[in-house]
Every structure is written in structure tokens, then in C-alpha cells.
Amino acid sequence: MTENAKIHIKNAHKSFGKNHVLNGLDLSVKDGKSLVVIGGSGTGKSVMLKCILGLLTPERGSILVDGEETVGMGEQGRDTIMRKFGMLFQGGALFDSLSVWENVAFGLTQTKRATRKDAHDIAIDNLRKVGLAPEVGKLYPSELSGGMQKRVGLARAIATQPEIIFFDEPTTGLDPIMADIINELIVERVKDLGATALSITHDMASARKIADDIAMIHKGQIIWRGPAGEIDHTGNPMVDQFINGRAEGPIQMEVLKA
Amino acid sequence: MAFNPLAIIGRSTMAALRQVGHLARFTWTALRHTFTPPFYPRLLLEQFMRIGFYSLPVVGMTAVFTGAALALQIYIGGARFNAEQIVPNIVVLGITRELGPVIASLMVAGRVAAAIAAEIGTMRVTEQIDALSTLSTNPFKYLVAPRLIAAVIALPLLVLIADTIGVMGGYLVSTYGLGFNSAVYLQNTAEFLELGDVTSGLYKAAVFGFIISLMGCYQGFNSKGGAEGVGRATTNAVVAASILILAANYLMTSLLFSGGATPL
């Protein structure tokens, strides 16, 4: 498992006060594959992503990216590692003080990998790849619909040609048709880049579409993992309950019964 | 148990210390990134315009009314021991040493600390700050450093303008309302004023500018929980900046006071 793993998380623990969010999480993502982590709200999906990105630091455990330990890494090393990553945020997280093309070109101009003129052309090219016309580049994020913001977010995530792309709930808040368009764009773009993809979602349609492998997280641990095709025959009652969306089952939500 | 005063004291002391530690770490990180490249001159200029230039009307209006009211008060006070002619001397002293820096900074705190906290707070809750990190951009260098530098430069300049306009306010009331001779008033003002009076106010202003920006950034960075959290961050930024300005003012006044009126 460890060899040709792009990302390898070993026994990661993270808590906020008395709330243990990650409880010895183990997970690896193979180079060039797309792994989708499914799980309910508050099971630790987002925290896992933020730990890999170094936005949060796990108390225990190790996170290897390309075999290199990133927990407790210095700023310089972190800087280099971060250049391998691209991320599509749940709400898009577009910079609302910048125009659309400046958003898409941001990673390029910041790291001085392109001049402003070249970055503009690359940005327009990336907008086209996500199905947006060049004119959109001049607009500001507040002038865009939710689906368009997601697409711009995707264009921004792929503009630096990252080796690893994270997708945080890529279809949340979109209508089913737009969700499917985004899913298809994700599959296309990731394949195009030959990138490793790690997504978190609770949308099963999305998971089936973009995953090579699926893993299910519950209470800060991976409880099942396998190829996407086997998700319906896992024999795991928790996975069954989740993918069929049943209130009754082994997973008990902390909801007060009237 | 039901009511344990010791536990309450302990808990609140711990919470306060935690806050101080948190702020100290934030300040240290902010300073470290302010003085190391990359720098963003374009953002610095933008912030300078926002903090400095667009605060001019507010600061000017505040200063003119403060100077005018001050002249009236001193006239009333002075009249009780036949010292009405002291108005120009005390106005210029009060404005440059104390009221100019404090009033201008408090007004800017209301404008700028709130704006910074709201903007950065919104960026925090919409994950724009995380997005900066994933695009190889340090949020401290990109967001905090330009605001800190801009405020530290802008505030002394604003105070210099507030000083001038404040003295003008006193002058207008005294010459048009209180029967002072214009030439004598201006002469008394100029002769009585020492360089140290102005510079001590400018030192204060630079420190107040730092406090304003720091509080805005700190509260914004640590805001959580959507619109309500951003609102809370904004309020906290203004309240904390104002209190710290007044406390720092006392501290600096007593330091500058013990060293006489000479510049440091």
C-alpha cells in the first residue's frame, strides 16, 4: 500500500477540546487515482483535508506526501509541498476583491510562474476548459451564479497544474443537473492533468461518478474502503445505511427523539 | 458544584491568559511576516488609501469641533482667574499632545478596525483565507502585513492634519466668537508650541495605528460561525482597539512625561 502512495495518512489524531474528530485515521491515496471519502456531517472529513493541507496540525500521527513527512514541517518545506496541491472549496472561496480571471490566475501570478499577460491567457484557457466564455473573466465573483462560481473555483484549482487536487463537497448546493455537469468536469480535468484526486462528499451520485476507490469515514476512522463498483455489495451495515440514506441502522445520529 | 467562587476566578483567569497568549503569538507571527519578503506594494498602497485618505473627512470634522469646544471650555475656565488669554496656548498643547492623536485614532478605530475585521472575518468564514494558503500565498503577508504597515504610516499623517485642523477650530471660535485678535492668537500659538509636543503625539499615533490594524486583523482572523461571528468580530475589534488605544495613551503619556517634553 505504501509504495506509489501519493498521500499516506497514518494513525492521525485531532481533537478540539473534548471533541475527538480524528481517531487514528489511516488512509492512502494512490498516485493518479481518484479516492472519494464519504461520510456524514461532523465525521471528520473536512478536518482530514485541512490536516493534509497543513491548515490544521494533528496531535498525533503522520501524513506523508510523496513519501515526505508533512506534520511539523517548516514553512519553506510546506511552501514547496503546497505547490503540488490544488483545491476546490465547498463555497468556491473565490476572492471577491478580484475579477474572475485574476482569481483563476492567482496561483500563477503569486508564485511568479507567469507574467500577468501570460497568466491572463492561461486563465482564459482554463475558463474555457470548464465551459465558461472569455467574457466571464472580466466579471466579479458576486456577479456569478452558484454553478458558475464552482466552475471558476475548479478552473482556479487546475490552473497551476497541480499533482494533487482536493474536492470539498463539489456538488453541495447545486441542482442535480449542474451537479452532474460539475462531476463530469472533475473527471475530465483530473484525467487531463493525470492528477491524484481526493474528494469528500455525502452525495452518493457524485461519489459513484468521480471515484476509482471509495472510503467511508465514521467517527474519525475509516470503516470501509474498496473499489467504487463494490460500494453496493460491501456487506457492511454502516455503509449500507449511508448509501441508502436510512435513518434507522447502526449509525445513530445524535438527535434528540421527541 | 453549585457555586464555587475560586473555580470561577480560576477559570476566568485562565481564559484571560489564554487570550493574551493567543494574541501575543498572533502579533509575533504578524510582525515576522511583515518584515520578510515577498512584499505587496500594490496592496500596501491600496490599504494606505483606504485607511489614510478615506479617513480624512471623519478626522477633519472631529478635529475642528474638538478644537472649537476646547477653546470655549478653556475660555470659561480661564475667566475664573482672569486668564482668558491662555486659550491659544492651552488649545495647541491639548490638541497636539493629547486630543489630536486620541480623538483621531478613536475615530479611525471605529472606521478601520471594523472594516478590517469584517473583511478578513468574511474571508475566514468563506474559506478565502484557506484558499490563499492552497495557492501558495501566506495570508499574513498578503492580508495582515499591508494593513499593519499602512496604518502605522497613515495614522501619524492623519494626526498631523488633525492637529492643524484642531488648532484652526480653536482659532475660529476664539477670533470670531470670543473677540481674540487674529494675529496675536496665531503668534501665541506658534511661540508656545514646542517640537516635542507634536512629535510625542505622532509617536502615539504610530502606536495607535498598529493597535487598530492588529485588532482588526486578529478579530477577523479568529472569527467563526458565519454572519453572526463576523458581526461579533467587528464589535470586538472596535471595542478592543479603543480600550487599548486609551490604555496605551496613558502609558505613553506617562513615559513621555517623565522624559520631559523632548522627543525621544
Side-chain angles (χ1 to χ4, degrees):
Chain A
M1 279 293 266
T2 330
E3 58 267 22
N4 80 20
K6 196 78 178 163
I7 302 170
H8 193 82
I9 309 172
K10 281 185 278 191
N11 194 28
H13 289 260
K14 177 74 191 172
S15 29
F16 298 95
K18 282 178 189 145
N19 183 15
H20 301 288
V21 182
L22 298 185
N23 276 314
L25 182 105
D26 290 292
L27 189 67
S28 70
V29 192
K30 281 184 229 131
D31 195 5
K33 293 286 177 195
S34 170
L35 175 71
V36 173
V37 176
I38 57 172
S41 316
T43 48
K45 300 192 302 282
S46 298
V47 171
M48 176 188 75
L49 280 193
K50 288 187 173 171
C51 283
I52 303 174
L53 288 170
L55 300 171
L56 295 171
T57 311
E59 284 107 33
R60 263 196 294 145
S62 105
I63 297 172
L64 306 173
V65 176
D66 277 332
E68 199 179 342
E69 178 63 59
T70 65
V71 176
M73 186 178 232
E75 265 169 47
Q76 295 256 293
R78 171 68 62 192
D79 231 42
T80 320
I81 288 277
M82 286 304 263
R83 291 184 182 214
K84 296 183 182 180
F85 287 99
M87 175 150 175
L88 173 58
F89 286 86
Q90 191 175 347
L94 301 177
F95 305 125
D96 33 36
S97 58
L98 301 177
S99 67
V100 165
W101 84 261
E102 285 173 313
N103 263 285
V104 176
F106 194 85
L108 296 166
T109 47
Q110 282 306 308
T111 51
K112 304 213 163 41
R113 273 183 270 184
T115 62
R116 206 172 148 79
K117 171 81 184 64
D118 291 344
H120 177 266
D121 296 344
I122 298 172
I124 297 298
D125 189 44
N126 277 294
L127 284 174
R128 194 182 46 72
K129 284 185 190 165
V130 296
L132 292 172
E135 296 80 64
V136 177
K138 292 191 213 79
L139 301 176
Y140 278 81
S142 57
E143 299 172 276
L144 305 180
S145 69
M148 282 167 99
Q149 289 192 5
K150 276 267 159 80
R151 285 200 249 179
V152 174
L154 179 60
R156 185 174 71 179
I158 61 174
T160 53
Q161 303 195 297
E163 297 168 30
I164 305 164
I165 313 185
F166 288 174
F167 299 98
D168 182 1
E169 310 265 1
T171 55
T172 299
L174 300 178
D175 67 76
I177 297 170
M178 184 52 77
D180 200 50
I181 293 173
I182 295 288
N183 287 333
E184 267 171 22
L185 276 174
I186 289 174
V187 173
E188 239 171 73
R189 290 304 121 215
V190 168
K191 200 173 287 167
D192 192 42
L193 284 171
T196 307
L198 175 58
S199 320
I200 58 179
T201 189
H202 48 239
D203 173 2
M204 281 316 297
S206 173
R208 287 174 205 274
K209 193 127 195 173
I210 62 182
D212 294 321
D213 273 359
I214 295 182
M216 175 150 169
I217 188 172
H218 183 62
K219 292 192 170 166
Q221 283 178 327
I222 300 296
I223 54 163
W224 182 84
R225 175 189 179 138
E230 289 174 20
I231 189 76
D232 293 308
H233 320 284
T234 61
N236 183 317
M238 288 207 223
V239 177
D240 266 357
Q241 184 193 353
F242 187 84
I243 63 173
N244 293 310
R246 284 192 293 261
E248 299 302 321
I251 302 174
Q252 290 298 316
M253 292 281 172
E254 279 166 24
V255 183
L256 285 179
K257 293 268 159 66
Chain B
M1 292 302 279
F3 180 72
N4 185 345
L6 276 180
I8 292 169
I9 293 169
R11 226 184 345 261
S12 45
T13 311
M14 292 292 280
L17 285 176
R18 215 171 6 246
Q19 275 292 318
V20 172
H22 204 210
L23 175 60
R25 271 183 56 178
F26 183 90
T27 311
W28 169 240
T29 314
L31 283 174
R32 206 157 41 83
H33 287 296
T34 299
F35 293 108
T36 48
F39 304 108
Y40 297 94
R42 211 171 55 87
L43 294 179
L44 174 60
L45 192 69
E46 192 184 309
Q47 289 303 323
F48 183 77
M49 291 301 280
R50 277 206 219 171
I51 298 171
F53 186 72
Y54 292 113
S55 294
L56 278 174
V58 174
V59 168
M61 301 275 268
T62 320
V64 74
F65 290 126
T66 307
L70 186 63
L72 288 177
Q73 296 284 22
I74 294 163
Y75 187 82
I76 296 165
R80 290 183 191 160
F81 45 97
N82 295 323
E84 297 94 332
Q85 72 284 0
I86 206 166
V87 170
N89 312 13
I90 304 295
V91 165
V92 74
L93 200 72
I95 291 286
T96 56
R97 292 188 68 96
E98 190 68 31
L99 290 171
V102 172
I103 303 269
S105 301
L106 286 177
M107 293 310 289
V108 177
R111 254 194 100 243
V112 172
I116 293 177
E119 188 182 7
I120 295 188
T122 306
M123 290 186 75
R124 165 62 78 203
V125 300
T126 56
E127 297 189 298
Q128 289 179 52
I129 293 180
D130 291 342
L132 278 176
S133 302
T134 65
L135 293 163
S136 308
T137 304
N138 187 307
F140 276 90
K141 288 186 165 71
Y142 189 83
L143 295 173
V144 180
R147 285 167 173 79
L148 277 181
I149 301 171
V152 169
I153 300 172
L155 258 288
L157 296 176
L158 281 172
V159 166
L160 210 52
I161 293 164
D163 286 352
T164 315
I165 297 178
V167 170
M168 282 297 295
Y171 164 83
L172 288 176
V173 166
S174 304
T175 51
Y176 288 101
L178 303 173
F180 275 79
N181 177 290
S182 163
V184 175
Y185 188 98
L186 288 178
Q187 197 188 359
N188 279 348
T189 300
E191 273 178 11
F192 191 72
L193 183 66
E194 288 176 18
L195 182 64
D197 299 330
V198 179
T199 51
S200 69
L202 299 188
Y203 292 137
K204 287 181 177 180
V207 172
F208 299 163
F210 182 78
I211 290 173
I212 291 168
S213 245
L214 184 73
M215 284 301 120
C217 293
Y218 175 73
Q219 295 293 343
F221 248 74
N222 292 297
S223 66
K224 42 181 156 264
E228 198 197 338
V230 175
R232 207 164 32 232
T234 311
T235 312
N236 287 348
V238 176
V239 171
S242 305
I243 292 173
L244 284 177
I245 284 172
L246 293 171
N249 178 54
Y250 173 70
L251 205 72
M252 290 190 72
T253 305
S254 62
L255 283 174
L256 293 164
F257 186 76
S258 60
T262 47
L264 286 171

